[in-house]
Amino acid sequence: RIRTSLDRRFQQAAEEELSRQLRAIEAGAFGRFHGPRYRRELEAGAEITDYLQGSVLVLDASTGDVLALVGGRDFRHSQFDRATQAWRQAGSAFKPFVYAAALEDGVAPSQHIADAPLRFELEGGEVWEPQNFSGEFEGSVTVRQALVRSKNVPTIRLAAEVGTDDVARVARRAGVRSRLPRVPSLAIGTAAVTPLELTSAYTAFASLGETVRPRLVQRIEDAQGRVVWEAGDPERRRVLEPAVAYLLTDMLREAVDHGTATAMRRAGFRGPAAGKTGTTNEGTDVWYVGYTPELVASVWIGFDRPRPILERATGGRLAAPVWGRLMRRIYQGRERPKPWQAPEDIIELRVDPRTGYVLREGCRPEAGAAVQELFVRGMEPAARCPRGGPGTEQRGLFERAFAWLGRLWGRVERWAAAHFGREEAVAPRRRSRYLGAPRLPRADEVPEPQVQVEPPDLEPIIIIPDVEPLVPETSTVEEPLQEPDTTPSPPAPAPGDTILILTPTDSGIVLERAVGRHRRP
């Protein structure tokens, strides 16, 4: 007897919801479908089929137990397991690893990235100019906006900034075992992965930093009921700091509520959830990989021989609704999990939306309203006071004009980048090479402004060697200054033309030297 981790109720729901969606696609519910349709009378035993296929996986985020596994549409037609054996391009479902690497590198969610044409010269003289899914550019977006709205070009810029090696290392640590080529297109999921490894890698996000190895068999018994083999404790390991995983989860949670995965909510699931859609070129593969604090699940739809599914096929339209309906059924009669709890080193601060800097207390942004953003404590951007706050009333006319010209020049750069397609237009010398915007300094990298303290109304004491101290008549220095606990030790003998100056301040006495007997102190 082989006892697996599969849950009968989860398995039935996964099979039914996938089949329901594939039939709806073939029936034209999402647009005209041109591919071959499923037919029960097909010859059995083929490795691949010509009709639309799919896979569904559900994993326990804490133990790695596989609770549901659908590897194909009809086992009689094909015994090929697409959940564990099929290598398919992940598309945008790979992007969370890019953003996890960036957050680890200290990039803030409020950091601006140029959403403008980008050009890469690859080996062999090939030129690659990536595009957004919409084919349009917005000029500039924040890191959070780029992930929530699944922007391709800003994501590629971000991966190039932190390094594709670091992106691949994060994916490897999380559990992706397939080959990850170190090319710029890795950022948008051109690497082929299996649904199982991609789903298990997302457990690092669901459990706030700990990935778990998936397991399907719990124990094996012989004919007499004796245990021949039994699974041990779950194999868990820390791959991300909890604060980084929480921050990424918060961004992916916004993608569910307001971004590319809103169809999941329309399918009826209202519990805490985060996730990412994925769509490959020409809509040949569509994904949705999402998670709750308890479960991680993936949905993949495509043909065995890659071909477009239909026009405007996306993970948000085709795969996310399956995930939403599946979670709704799973949590019927089951208590919904509590939302993720923010680690202690997560802080929430007011941000200037135009610059991404943290706003000082009592300050207002340059334009628009301030926004709230989450940061990892110690990695938050430096604080500034653009206008309307303490200290800004002293800015002169010249400074205000210079700031206005700077903002105008930034708009001209973005316009030129969008219309002429030259990366140089968005990457002047003082900006990051790939981000196309200044890299926000962290708060601990910028010295705190020094408070200017007015010196006390005391005249300095001038001491000339071998001469009685000359104390000006207006001095308020009294005899106690000569006591050992407040007067510095006698200086070493100095040249005859050296003047020693004792200057009383509010924090003590400052000893200075001036060479030249006739030099004015």
Side-chain angles (χ1 to χ4, degrees), residues 363-387:
C363 298
R364 299 195 302 272
E366 290 187 5
V371 297
Q372 298 293 125
E373 184 55 273
L374 299 179
F375 302 99
V376 179
R377 190 185 305 277
M379 299 173 72
E380 69 272 18
R384 285 189 174 180
C385 194
R387 68 174 181 84

Side-chain angles (χ1 to χ4, degrees), residues 346-377:
I346 288 290
I347 56 177
E348 185 174 10
L349 300 170
R350 292 170 62 248
V351 170
D352 180 355
R354 184 185 173 278
T355 64
Y357 280 92
V358 172
L359 289 170
R360 291 192 182 279
E361 188 68 29
C363 298
R364 299 195 302 272
E366 290 187 5
V371 297
Q372 298 293 125
E373 184 55 273
L374 299 179
F375 302 99
V376 179
R377 190 185 305 277

Side-chain angles (χ1 to χ4, degrees), residues 315-362:
R317 292 185 69 217
L318 304 184
V322 180
W323 197 96
R325 292 195 299 265
L326 175 60
M327 287 298 123
R328 184 182 63 187
R329 290 181 59 172
I330 285 176
Y331 280 99
Q332 283 178 348
R334 175 189 177 110
E335 185 180 357
R336 289 181 183 175
K338 296 181 180 179
W340 292 273
Q341 296 298 311
E344 293 183 357
D345 46 353
I346 288 290
I347 56 177
E348 185 174 10
L349 300 170
R350 292 170 62 248
V351 170
D352 180 355
R354 184 185 173 278
T355 64
Y357 280 92
V358 172
L359 289 170
R360 291 192 182 279
E361 188 68 29

